[in-house]
Amino acid sequence: MRLCDTTLRAAARYSDRTYTADQLVEAGQALDRLGVPLVRAGNPSVAGVEGETISRLASNFEADVVATCRARTDEVETALETGADIVEVSIPVSDVRLEATLGMSREEAFDRAEMAIRQAREGGADGHLHLQDAFRADVPSVAGAFGRFDGTIVLADTVGARTPPFVAGFLRTLANASADLTRAGVSFRDDLGCATANSLVAVETGIDRVDASVAGIGTGAGRAATEELIVATVTGGDDAGVATTETIPACEDALQALGESVDERKAVLGAGASGDESGEGTESGVDDPAAFRAYDPSTFGG
């Protein structure tokens, strides 16, 4: 699993908050310290602060910095000017999303994306494809993208409509249709409370990249949570591909940079998340807190 942290992009989408480039860069530095391999930092064509942020991060980060854009020549050019390592071209793929946002056929949308990705690669960046609403599209349409595009393809549950059983079945059917899941990514919204679980199920099917944000920051009900994915992966016996002991400190620093906080009951990051169950450890005289905890917080820097 390669984590792509989308905290900066997700935070910038909040309509009732305004962040400075300094805040976003500081949060990004915490994520880089955590060791996530990819940081999705925003669309520089939408807001100047996102372009400044990407430019500053791209010149100093160990992680690959991802700039997003629509399948438009001017937006690809703006993304390239930031020096981003990856330009991720976003198009809708479901019938309902195509009609609502572009008013064109899927083939026409793929044509535009193909030209945009070619432009990104000719400009010196890696070109990725982001398929909006992929989990509400039919399998042949999504599989067709794998046949046509040779790079990373991110499948997004853009409205948070899916559950783990559906995700597992959809991805396995997609693989049976000759889609190479080892070059696929997933991005889940949490509107049904299933984003982190959906992401973990996707990894089991062979997905390479998983998008998530610190504390699930994002519009709607948020996104899969970076810290939850790390803890769940490590406690399950697998490698999350990050500096594990930096998980809690880095996520807390990112939130502090953005002026955000979490409820004390928030998984992993909340003050009460690793407490003993109803105080039972004390009441029963049990000295080993592991009997009442899902994990040792110190493993993750807590």
Side-chain angles (χ1 to χ4, degrees), residues 6-299:
T6 67
T7 304
L8 307 185
R9 162 73 172 171
R13 300 279 74 76
Y14 282 135
S15 60
D16 60 344
R17 295 167 173 80
T18 301
Y19 300 105
T20 66
D22 286 343
Q23 284 180 290
L24 294 172
V25 168
E26 184 179 348
Q29 289 170 337
L31 299 172
D32 203 35
R33 191 176 80 242
L34 175 57
V36 295
L38 300 166
V39 172
R40 192 168 184 248
N43 184 340
S45 296
V46 172
V49 67
E50 293 182 44
E52 180 185 347
T53 300
I54 294 169
S55 295
R56 290 169 63 179
L57 297 181
S59 61
N60 295 296
F61 258 32
E62 289 294 327
D64 284 340
V65 178
V66 183
T68 62
C69 68
R70 292 172 291 182
R72 292 175 36 170
T73 300
D74 58 333
E75 291 200 9
V76 175
E77 186 59 37
T78 300
L80 287 170
E81 289 171 358
T82 67
D85 301 288
I86 297 167
V87 173
E88 189 165 289
V89 177
S90 180
I91 61 167
V93 69
S94 68
D95 290 334
V96 63
R97 197 86 173 188
L98 279 164
E99 181 60 32
T101 62
L102 292 183
M104 65 175 60
S105 70
R106 188 174 295 104
E107 191 65 24
E108 289 173 312
F110 280 1
D111 286 343
R112 287 193 182 187
E114 194 169 45
M115 289 186 290
I117 290 173
R118 184 183 307 115
Q119 178 187 355
R121 290 174 177 172
E122 290 174 351
D126 191 4
H128 290 189
L129 178 65
H130 184 100
L131 295 180
Q132 302 168 17
D133 214 23
F135 287 91
R136 289 199 299 175
D138 59 82
V139 168
S141 297
V142 178
F146 284 86
R148 181 164 180 172
F149 297 89
D150 61 0
T152 295
I153 300 176
V154 180
L155 310 177
D157 182 14
T158 312
V159 297
R162 298 311 187 191
T163 61
F166 181 93
V167 169
F170 184 92
L171 292 175
R172 291 189 181 108
T173 303
L174 193 59
N176 290 337
S178 300
D180 180 8
L181 298 187
T182 64
R183 60 182 180 90
V186 290
S187 178
F188 291 102
R189 263 179 53 155
D190 201 35
D191 293 37
L192 293 182
C194 295
T196 297
N198 284 341
S199 300
L200 292 168
V201 165
V203 171
E204 292 179 356
T205 69
I207 289 290
D208 168 56
R209 164 184 156 180
V210 179
D211 288 11
S213 64
V214 172
I217 280 177
T219 54
R223 302 293 188 272
T226 297
E227 68 282 355
E228 292 175 13
L229 282 170
I230 294 171
V231 173
T233 298
V234 173
T235 57
D238 294 320
D239 183 6
V242 299
T244 303
T245 56
E246 286 289 342
T247 302
I248 293 174
C251 289
E252 289 179 338
D253 287 349
L255 291 173
Q256 183 176 1
L258 297 173
E260 300 289 343
S261 61
V262 297
D263 186 271
E264 67 173 11
R265 299 298 181 185
K266 169 70 181 67
V268 181
L269 295 181
S274 57
D276 293 341
E277 181 184 352
S278 302
E280 291 180 22
T282 301
E283 294 171 6
S284 61
V286 176
D287 293 327
D288 184 2
F292 297 91
R293 289 178 175 173
Y295 59 91
D296 181 353
S298 65
T299 301

